[in-house]
Amino acid sequence: MGMRGARHRFMPNRLVFPGGAVDRADLSAQVATGLSHRTETALHRNANQKLARGLGVAAARELFEETGLSLGSPPVLDGLEYLARAITPADSPIRFNARFFCVHASRVTGVLGGDGELENLRFYDMAEALALDLAAPTRRMLEQLRIWLAMSEAERAARTHVPVLKDRGWKME
């Protein structure tokens, strides 16, 4: 996680995960492996095939740009797990519709650094991160990650819906 700079329009001076928008090039970028069947199936509930793949590519690209950590070049996407989604309330001045992915650390290479968009980059222990003053969506995603980490592989495989933070509450998609 890293701190967004004071000059950012959205969530300045807040500790966040790396992320960003899907670029047009993400929709057709080469990949070493596609998304896992489980992740692709979950994404298809609200994204067509091209967008689902683009979301995985964007996650890999943003991870590298903002942290210096890589899923490979071209990226290996089959380790990405679709954790949850967050959609800002309609009354928010800045809107987003974000998908949150997680990946096992053994699937990532590189040195923590990035392009400077996030400051003070580092790995946080779950308890340490949750003890901080986090923005609500960040806290809620960490709570979802804690639940996901507690699941067995069989429970993850049996999960048929993905949690969506919408209108300040959880819904299943």
Side-chain angles (χ1 to χ4, degrees):
M1 297 175 76
M3 188 72 64
R4 289 179 61 85
R7 295 181 185 196
H8 277 103
R9 238 181 86 215
F10 182 66
M11 292 179 61
N13 299 313
R14 299 304 297 226
L15 189 63
V16 298
F17 302 108
V22 174
D23 291 346
R24 183 175 299 238
D26 296 333
L27 300 173
S28 59
Q30 279 192 324
V31 298
T33 65
L35 296 164
S36 69
H37 177 71
R38 178 167 68 199
T39 295
E40 191 168 11
T41 299
L43 286 169
H44 283 168
R45 289 194 183 94
N46 62 56
N48 64 35
Q49 187 169 358
K50 191 173 186 177
L51 178 56
R53 184 179 172 283
L55 288 162
V57 171
R61 178 182 51 74
E62 292 286 355
L63 176 69
F64 180 70
E65 288 174 3
E66 295 184 11
T67 70
L69 302 176
S70 176
L71 296 180
S73 182
V76 176
L77 301 180
D78 62 356
L80 286 175
E81 295 280 351
Y82 183 22
L83 178 67
R85 182 174 170 208
I87 303 168
T88 49
D91 61 352
S92 294
I94 298 176
R95 303 288 316 276
F96 67 79
N97 178 351
R99 278 80 167 186
F100 290 80
F101 297 92
C102 57
V103 65
H104 193 277
S106 66
R107 306 290 297 257
V108 178
T109 61
V111 177
L112 199 58
D115 62 7
E117 185 173 337
L118 297 178
E119 302 167 3
N120 304 317
L121 278 171
R122 71 182 189 84
F123 292 97
Y124 287 80
D125 175 85
M126 182 72 71
E128 177 190 11
L130 287 170
L132 298 171
D133 178 26
L134 300 171
T138 304
R139 175 172 302 285
R140 305 290 291 275
M141 288 305 144
L142 278 172
E143 291 165 352
Q144 285 300 317
L145 179 59
R146 185 170 48 189
I147 292 166
W148 187 86
L149 288 170
M151 291 178 179
S152 68
E153 182 56 34
E155 290 170 321
R156 291 176 190 158
R159 190 172 87 151
T160 59
H161 293 85
V162 173
V164 178
L165 182 59
K166 186 175 182 181
D167 299 326
R168 297 180 177 86
W170 289 108
K171 300 177 180 359
M172 296 305 280
E173 174 176 88

PDB file of all heavy atoms in Angstrom, residues 27-57:
ATOM      1  N   LEU A  27      -7.017  -3.503 -23.324  1.00  0.00           N
ATOM      2  CA  LEU A  27      -8.034  -4.378 -23.907  1.00  0.00           C
ATOM      3  C   LEU A  27      -7.467  -5.335 -24.944  1.00  0.00           C
ATOM      4  O   LEU A  27      -8.072  -6.366 -25.232  1.00  0.00           O
ATOM      5  CB  LEU A  27      -9.163  -3.546 -24.513  1.00  0.00           C
ATOM      6  CG  LEU A  27      -9.904  -2.625 -23.531  1.00  0.00           C
ATOM      7  CD1 LEU A  27     -10.882  -1.739 -24.280  1.00  0.00           C
ATOM      8  CD2 LEU A  27     -10.600  -3.433 -22.448  1.00  0.00           C
ATOM      9  N   SER A  28      -6.292  -4.998 -25.505  1.00  0.00           N
ATOM     10  CA  SER A  28      -5.710  -5.863 -26.535  1.00  0.00           C
ATOM     11  C   SER A  28      -4.256  -6.229 -26.250  1.00  0.00           C
ATOM     12  O   SER A  28      -3.594  -6.805 -27.101  1.00  0.00           O
ATOM     13  CB  SER A  28      -5.817  -5.175 -27.907  1.00  0.00           C
ATOM     14  OG  SER A  28      -5.148  -3.927 -27.875  1.00  0.00           O
ATOM     15  N   ALA A  29      -3.769  -5.924 -25.076  1.00  0.00           N
ATOM     16  CA  ALA A  29      -2.370  -6.201 -24.726  1.00  0.00           C
ATOM     17  C   ALA A  29      -2.114  -7.702 -24.676  1.00  0.00           C
ATOM     18  O   ALA A  29      -2.995  -8.494 -24.352  1.00  0.00           O
ATOM     19  CB  ALA A  29      -2.036  -5.569 -23.375  1.00  0.00           C
ATOM     20  N   GLN A  30      -0.885  -8.082 -24.997  1.00  0.00           N
ATOM     21  CA  GLN A  30      -0.489  -9.484 -24.913  1.00  0.00           C
ATOM     22  C   GLN A  30      -0.409  -9.906 -23.453  1.00  0.00           C
ATOM     23  O   GLN A  30      -0.055  -9.097 -22.580  1.00  0.00           O
ATOM     24  CB  GLN A  30       0.889  -9.682 -25.532  1.00  0.00           C
ATOM     25  CG  GLN A  30       0.891  -9.797 -27.013  1.00  0.00           C
ATOM     26  CD  GLN A  30       2.251 -10.293 -27.489  1.00  0.00           C
ATOM     27  OE1 GLN A  30       3.288  -9.948 -26.938  1.00  0.00           O
ATOM     28  NE2 GLN A  30       2.235 -11.099 -28.530  1.00  0.00           N
ATOM     29  N   VAL A  31      -0.741 -11.167 -23.198  1.00  0.00           N
ATOM     30  CA  VAL A  31      -0.589 -11.752 -21.863  1.00  0.00           C
ATOM     31  C   VAL A  31       0.109 -13.098 -22.001  1.00  0.00           C
ATOM     32  O   VAL A  31      -0.006 -13.761 -23.029  1.00  0.00           O
ATOM     33  CB  VAL A  31      -1.949 -11.918 -21.136  1.00  0.00           C
ATOM     34  CG1 VAL A  31      -2.620 -10.565 -20.909  1.00  0.00           C
ATOM     35  CG2 VAL A  31      -2.872 -12.853 -21.887  1.00  0.00           C
ATOM     36  N   ALA A  32       0.839 -13.486 -20.962  1.00  0.00           N
ATOM     37  CA  ALA A  32       1.484 -14.800 -20.947  1.00  0.00           C
ATOM     38  C   ALA A  32       0.448 -15.888 -20.681  1.00  0.00           C
ATOM     39  O   ALA A  32       0.474 -16.945 -21.299  1.00  0.00           O
ATOM     40  CB  ALA A  32       2.594 -14.839 -19.905  1.00  0.00           C
ATOM     41  N   THR A  33      -0.451 -15.615 -19.752  1.00  0.00           N
ATOM     42  CA  THR A  33      -1.585 -16.500 -19.478  1.00  0.00           C
ATOM     43  C   THR A  33      -2.790 -15.628 -19.196  1.00  0.00           C
ATOM     44  O   THR A  33      -2.660 -14.532 -18.647  1.00  0.00           O
ATOM     45  CB  THR A  33      -1.356 -17.423 -18.259  1.00  0.00           C
ATOM     46  OG1 THR A  33      -1.261 -16.621 -17.084  1.00  0.00           O
ATOM     47  CG2 THR A  33      -0.104 -18.273 -18.412  1.00  0.00           C
ATOM     48  N   GLY A  34      -3.953 -16.130 -19.539  1.00  0.00           N
ATOM     49  CA  GLY A  34      -5.188 -15.409 -19.262  1.00  0.00           C
ATOM     50  C   GLY A  34      -5.586 -15.546 -17.800  1.00  0.00           C
ATOM     51  O   GLY A  34      -4.892 -16.178 -16.991  1.00  0.00           O
ATOM     52  N   LEU A  35      -6.701 -14.965 -17.481  1.00  0.00           N
ATOM     53  CA  LEU A  35      -7.253 -15.063 -16.131  1.00  0.00           C
ATOM     54  C   LEU A  35      -7.668 -16.503 -15.842  1.00  0.00           C
ATOM     55  O   LEU A  35      -8.022 -17.247 -16.758  1.00  0.00           O
ATOM     56  CB  LEU A  35      -8.482 -14.153 -16.008  1.00  0.00           C
ATOM     57  CG  LEU A  35      -8.224 -12.662 -16.165  1.00  0.00           C
ATOM     58  CD1 LEU A  35      -9.540 -11.926 -16.404  1.00  0.00           C
ATOM     59  CD2 LEU A  35      -7.515 -12.109 -14.948  1.00  0.00           C
ATOM     60  N   SER A  36      -7.685 -16.873 -14.583  1.00  0.00           N
ATOM     61  CA  SER A  36      -8.189 -18.194 -14.208  1.00  0.00           C
ATOM     62  C   SER A  36      -9.673 -18.263 -14.555  1.00  0.00           C
ATOM     63  O   SER A  36     -10.360 -17.238 -14.651  1.00  0.00           O
ATOM     64  CB  SER A  36      -7.995 -18.438 -12.711  1.00  0.00           C
ATOM     65  OG  SER A  36      -8.865 -17.599 -11.964  1.00  0.00           O
ATOM     66  N   HIS A  37     -10.159 -19.476 -14.730  1.00  0.00           N
ATOM     67  CA  HIS A  37     -11.581 -19.656 -15.040  1.00  0.00           C
ATOM     68  C   HIS A  37     -12.448 -19.025 -13.952  1.00  0.00           C
ATOM     69  O   HIS A  37     -13.439 -18.355 -14.239  1.00  0.00           O
ATOM     70  CB  HIS A  37     -11.899 -21.150 -15.184  1.00  0.00           C
ATOM     71  CG  HIS A  37     -13.343 -21.421 -15.427  1.00  0.00           C
ATOM     72  ND1 HIS A  37     -13.966 -21.117 -16.617  1.00  0.00           N
ATOM     73  CD2 HIS A  37     -14.306 -21.934 -14.612  1.00  0.00           C
ATOM     74  CE1 HIS A  37     -15.242 -21.438 -16.537  1.00  0.00           C
ATOM     75  NE2 HIS A  37     -15.476 -21.943 -15.338  1.00  0.00           N
ATOM     76  N   ARG A  38     -12.054 -19.210 -12.698  1.00  0.00           N
ATOM     77  CA  ARG A  38     -12.825 -18.680 -11.568  1.00  0.00           C
ATOM     78  C   ARG A  38     -12.910 -17.155 -11.619  1.00  0.00           C
ATOM     79  O   ARG A  38     -13.989 -16.580 -11.485  1.00  0.00           O
ATOM     80  CB  ARG A  38     -12.166 -19.153 -10.260  1.00  0.00           C
ATOM     81  CG  ARG A  38     -12.826 -18.639  -9.028  1.00  0.00           C
ATOM     82  CD  ARG A  38     -12.370 -19.358  -7.795  1.00  0.00           C
ATOM     83  NE  ARG A  38     -10.989 -19.122  -7.418  1.00  0.00           N
ATOM     84  CZ  ARG A  38     -10.303 -19.929  -6.609  1.00  0.00           C
ATOM     85  NH1 ARG A  38     -10.857 -21.022  -6.135  1.00  0.00           N
ATOM     86  NH2 ARG A  38      -9.069 -19.651  -6.281  1.00  0.00           N
ATOM     87  N   THR A  39     -11.782 -16.492 -11.849  1.00  0.00           N
ATOM     88  CA  THR A  39     -11.772 -15.026 -11.900  1.00  0.00           C
ATOM     89  C   THR A  39     -12.521 -14.518 -13.119  1.00  0.00           C
ATOM     90  O   THR A  39     -13.321 -13.585 -13.022  1.00  0.00           O
ATOM     91  CB  THR A  39     -10.327 -14.509 -11.873  1.00  0.00           C
ATOM     92  OG1 THR A  39      -9.746 -14.863 -10.612  1.00  0.00           O
ATOM     93  CG2 THR A  39     -10.258 -13.004 -12.053  1.00  0.00           C
ATOM     94  N   GLU A  40     -12.287 -15.152 -14.264  1.00  0.00           N
ATOM     95  CA  GLU A  40     -12.969 -14.727 -15.484  1.00  0.00           C
ATOM     96  C   GLU A  40     -14.485 -14.884 -15.354  1.00  0.00           C
ATOM     97  O   GLU A  40     -15.246 -13.987 -15.728  1.00  0.00           O
ATOM     98  CB  GLU A  40     -12.443 -15.531 -16.670  1.00  0.00           C
ATOM     99  CG  GLU A  40     -12.892 -14.975 -17.985  1.00  0.00           C
ATOM    100  CD  GLU A  40     -12.150 -15.595 -19.161  1.00  0.00           C
ATOM    101  OE1 GLU A  40     -11.430 -16.590 -18.981  1.00  0.00           O
ATOM    102  OE2 GLU A  40     -12.332 -15.069 -20.267  1.00  0.00           O
ATOM    103  N   THR A  41     -14.925 -15.993 -14.809  1.00  0.00           N
ATOM    104  CA  THR A  41     -16.362 -16.228 -14.629  1.00  0.00           C
ATOM    105  C   THR A  41     -16.978 -15.167 -13.722  1.00  0.00           C
ATOM    106  O   THR A  41     -18.052 -14.628 -14.013  1.00  0.00           O
ATOM    107  CB  THR A  41     -16.601 -17.637 -14.048  1.00  0.00           C
ATOM    108  OG1 THR A  41     -16.090 -18.598 -14.972  1.00  0.00           O
ATOM    109  CG2 THR A  41     -18.079 -17.890 -13.794  1.00  0.00           C
ATOM    110  N   ALA A  42     -16.296 -14.850 -12.631  1.00  0.00           N
ATOM    111  CA  ALA A  42     -16.813 -13.833 -11.700  1.00  0.00           C
ATOM    112  C   ALA A  42     -16.878 -12.461 -12.367  1.00  0.00           C
ATOM    113  O   ALA A  42     -17.855 -11.722 -12.187  1.00  0.00           O
ATOM    114  CB  ALA A  42     -15.947 -13.790 -10.450  1.00  0.00           C
ATOM    115  N   LEU A  43     -15.862 -12.105 -13.135  1.00  0.00           N
ATOM    116  CA  LEU A  43     -15.858 -10.805 -13.817  1.00  0.00           C
ATOM    117  C   LEU A  43     -16.946 -10.723 -14.885  1.00  0.00           C
ATOM    118  O   LEU A  43     -17.502  -9.650 -15.131  1.00  0.00           O
ATOM    119  CB  LEU A  43     -14.492 -10.536 -14.441  1.00  0.00           C
ATOM    120  CG  LEU A  43     -13.382 -10.168 -13.472  1.00  0.00           C
ATOM    121  CD1 LEU A  43     -12.030 -10.193 -14.175  1.00  0.00           C
ATOM    122  CD2 LEU A  43     -13.633  -8.809 -12.838  1.00  0.00           C
ATOM    123  N   HIS A  44     -17.276 -11.833 -15.513  1.00  0.00           N
ATOM    124  CA  HIS A  44     -18.281 -11.822 -16.575  1.00  0.00           C
ATOM    125  C   HIS A  44     -19.681 -11.495 -16.074  1.00  0.00           C
ATOM    126  O   HIS A  44     -20.569 -11.239 -16.873  1.00  0.00           O
ATOM    127  CB  HIS A  44     -18.295 -13.158 -17.317  1.00  0.00           C
ATOM    128  CG  HIS A  44     -17.162 -13.296 -18.287  1.00  0.00           C
ATOM    129  ND1 HIS A  44     -16.850 -14.485 -18.880  1.00  0.00           N
ATOM    130  CD2 HIS A  44     -16.265 -12.395 -18.748  1.00  0.00           C
ATOM    131  CE1 HIS A  44     -15.812 -14.306 -19.682  1.00  0.00           C
ATOM    132  NE2 HIS A  44     -15.438 -13.048 -19.607  1.00  0.00           N
ATOM    133  N   ARG A  45     -19.870 -11.448 -14.779  1.00  0.00           N
ATOM    134  CA  ARG A  45     -21.190 -11.055 -14.266  1.00  0.00           C
ATOM    135  C   ARG A  45     -21.493  -9.586 -14.555  1.00  0.00           C
ATOM    136  O   ARG A  45     -22.651  -9.191 -14.575  1.00  0.00           O
ATOM    137  CB  ARG A  45     -21.275 -11.322 -12.762  1.00  0.00           C
ATOM    138  CG  ARG A  45     -21.335 -12.793 -12.467  1.00  0.00           C
ATOM    139  CD  ARG A  45     -21.763 -13.055 -11.033  1.00  0.00           C
ATOM    140  NE  ARG A  45     -21.733 -14.478 -10.809  1.00  0.00           N
ATOM    141  CZ  ARG A  45     -20.683 -15.132 -10.295  1.00  0.00           C
ATOM    142  NH1 ARG A  45     -19.607 -14.471  -9.934  1.00  0.00           N
ATOM    143  NH2 ARG A  45     -20.719 -16.432 -10.135  1.00  0.00           N
ATOM    144  N   ASN A  46     -20.429  -8.785 -14.736  1.00  0.00           N
ATOM    145  CA  ASN A  46     -20.657  -7.359 -15.002  1.00  0.00           C
ATOM    146  C   ASN A  46     -19.707  -6.787 -16.048  1.00  0.00           C
ATOM    147  O   ASN A  46     -19.618  -5.580 -16.196  1.00  0.00           O
ATOM    148  CB  ASN A  46     -20.583  -6.544 -13.706  1.00  0.00           C
ATOM    149  CG  ASN A  46     -19.218  -6.630 -13.062  1.00  0.00           C
ATOM    150  OD1 ASN A  46     -18.214  -6.320 -13.686  1.00  0.00           O
ATOM    151  ND2 ASN A  46     -19.182  -7.060 -11.824  1.00  0.00           N
ATOM    152  N   ALA A  47     -18.989  -7.653 -16.747  1.00  0.00           N
ATOM    153  CA  ALA A  47     -18.048  -7.188 -17.775  1.00  0.00           C
ATOM    154  C   ALA A  47     -18.000  -8.216 -18.902  1.00  0.00           C
ATOM    155  O   ALA A  47     -17.974  -9.418 -18.639  1.00  0.00           O
ATOM    156  CB  ALA A  47     -16.656  -7.019 -17.167  1.00  0.00           C
ATOM    157  N   ASN A  48     -17.962  -7.736 -20.129  1.00  0.00           N
ATOM    158  CA  ASN A  48     -17.830  -8.667 -21.249  1.00  0.00           C
ATOM    159  C   ASN A  48     -16.418  -9.253 -21.259  1.00  0.00           C
ATOM    160  O   ASN A  48     -15.554  -8.840 -20.482  1.00  0.00           O
ATOM    161  CB  ASN A  48     -18.196  -7.989 -22.580  1.00  0.00           C
ATOM    162  CG  ASN A  48     -17.244  -6.860 -22.944  1.00  0.00           C
ATOM    163  OD1 ASN A  48     -16.044  -6.897 -22.679  1.00  0.00           O
ATOM    164  ND2 ASN A  48     -17.791  -5.821 -23.567  1.00  0.00           N
ATOM    165  N   GLN A  49     -16.178 -10.187 -22.147  1.00  0.00           N
ATOM    166  CA  GLN A  49     -14.904 -10.898 -22.170  1.00  0.00           C
ATOM    167  C   GLN A  49     -13.720  -9.954 -22.378  1.00  0.00           C
ATOM    168  O   GLN A  49     -12.692 -10.070 -21.716  1.00  0.00           O
ATOM    169  CB  GLN A  49     -14.915 -11.976 -23.248  1.00  0.00           C
ATOM    170  CG  GLN A  49     -13.687 -12.854 -23.212  1.00  0.00           C
ATOM    171  CD  GLN A  49     -13.835 -14.079 -24.094  1.00  0.00           C
ATOM    172  OE1 GLN A  49     -14.866 -14.295 -24.705  1.00  0.00           O
ATOM    173  NE2 GLN A  49     -12.801 -14.880 -24.150  1.00  0.00           N
ATOM    174  N   LYS A  50     -13.858  -9.026 -23.290  1.00  0.00           N
ATOM    175  CA  LYS A  50     -12.776  -8.081 -23.584  1.00  0.00           C
ATOM    176  C   LYS A  50     -12.463  -7.207 -22.370  1.00  0.00           C
ATOM    177  O   LYS A  50     -11.305  -7.002 -22.021  1.00  0.00           O
ATOM    178  CB  LYS A  50     -13.168  -7.222 -24.791  1.00  0.00           C
ATOM    179  CG  LYS A  50     -12.051  -6.394 -25.351  1.00  0.00           C
ATOM    180  CD  LYS A  50     -12.508  -5.721 -26.650  1.00  0.00           C
ATOM    181  CE  LYS A  50     -11.363  -4.996 -27.306  1.00  0.00           C
ATOM    182  NZ  LYS A  50     -11.752  -4.404 -28.583  1.00  0.00           N
ATOM    183  N   LEU A  51     -13.501  -6.701 -21.713  1.00  0.00           N
ATOM    184  CA  LEU A  51     -13.288  -5.872 -20.535  1.00  0.00           C
ATOM    185  C   LEU A  51     -12.727  -6.696 -19.377  1.00  0.00           C
ATOM    186  O   LEU A  51     -11.840  -6.242 -18.655  1.00  0.00           O
ATOM    187  CB  LEU A  51     -14.578  -5.173 -20.105  1.00  0.00           C
ATOM    188  CG  LEU A  51     -14.467  -4.304 -18.842  1.00  0.00           C
ATOM    189  CD1 LEU A  51     -13.378  -3.239 -18.984  1.00  0.00           C
ATOM    190  CD2 LEU A  51     -15.808  -3.674 -18.508  1.00  0.00           C
ATOM    191  N   ALA A  52     -13.223  -7.907 -19.190  1.00  0.00           N
ATOM    192  CA  ALA A  52     -12.724  -8.757 -18.106  1.00  0.00           C
ATOM    193  C   ALA A  52     -11.218  -8.961 -18.241  1.00  0.00           C
ATOM    194  O   ALA A  52     -10.459  -8.785 -17.283  1.00  0.00           O
ATOM    195  CB  ALA A  52     -13.458 -10.094 -18.099  1.00  0.00           C
ATOM    196  N   ARG A  53     -10.770  -9.298 -19.423  1.00  0.00           N
ATOM    197  CA  ARG A  53      -9.342  -9.477 -19.675  1.00  0.00           C
ATOM    198  C   ARG A  53      -8.603  -8.153 -19.477  1.00  0.00           C
ATOM    199  O   ARG A  53      -7.532  -8.107 -18.876  1.00  0.00           O
ATOM    200  CB  ARG A  53      -9.140  -9.996 -21.099  1.00  0.00           C
ATOM    201  CG  ARG A  53      -7.717 -10.315 -21.453  1.00  0.00           C
ATOM    202  CD  ARG A  53      -7.690 -10.847 -22.909  1.00  0.00           C
ATOM    203  NE  ARG A  53      -6.362 -10.997 -23.388  1.00  0.00           N
ATOM    204  CZ  ARG A  53      -5.586 -10.005 -23.801  1.00  0.00           C
ATOM    205  NH1 ARG A  53      -6.022  -8.760 -23.781  1.00  0.00           N
ATOM    206  NH2 ARG A  53      -4.367 -10.244 -24.239  1.00  0.00           N
ATOM    207  N   GLY A  54      -9.191  -7.060 -19.968  1.00  0.00           N
ATOM    208  CA  GLY A  54      -8.587  -5.733 -19.807  1.00  0.00           C
ATOM    209  C   GLY A  54      -8.431  -5.334 -18.346  1.00  0.00           C
ATOM    210  O   GLY A  54      -7.459  -4.678 -17.976  1.00  0.00           O
ATOM    211  N   LEU A  55      -9.381  -5.740 -17.514  1.00  0.00           N
ATOM    212  CA  LEU A  55      -9.281  -5.461 -16.082  1.00  0.00           C
ATOM    213  C   LEU A  55      -8.068  -6.166 -15.475  1.00  0.00           C
ATOM    214  O   LEU A  55      -7.348  -5.592 -14.659  1.00  0.00           O
ATOM    215  CB  LEU A  55     -10.557  -5.887 -15.361  1.00  0.00           C
ATOM    216  CG  LEU A  55     -11.777  -5.006 -15.615  1.00  0.00           C
ATOM    217  CD1 LEU A  55     -13.062  -5.733 -15.238  1.00  0.00           C
ATOM    218  CD2 LEU A  55     -11.648  -3.695 -14.856  1.00  0.00           C
ATOM    219  N   GLY A  56      -7.829  -7.412 -15.887  1.00  0.00           N
ATOM    220  CA  GLY A  56      -6.656  -8.138 -15.411  1.00  0.00           C
ATOM    221  C   GLY A  56      -5.363  -7.494 -15.879  1.00  0.00           C
ATOM    222  O   GLY A  56      -4.416  -7.325 -15.097  1.00  0.00           O
ATOM    223  N   VAL A  57      -5.318  -7.115 -17.143  1.00  0.00           N
ATOM    224  CA  VAL A  57      -4.133  -6.446 -17.688  1.00  0.00           C
ATOM    225  C   VAL A  57      -3.897  -5.119 -16.972  1.00  0.00           C
ATOM    226  O   VAL A  57      -2.764  -4.787 -16.599  1.00  0.00           O
ATOM    227  CB  VAL A  57      -4.261  -6.237 -19.218  1.00  0.00           C
ATOM    228  CG1 VAL A  57      -3.138  -5.359 -19.749  1.00  0.00           C
ATOM    229  CG2 VAL A  57      -4.285  -7.579 -19.940  1.00  0.00           C
TER     230      VAL A  57
END
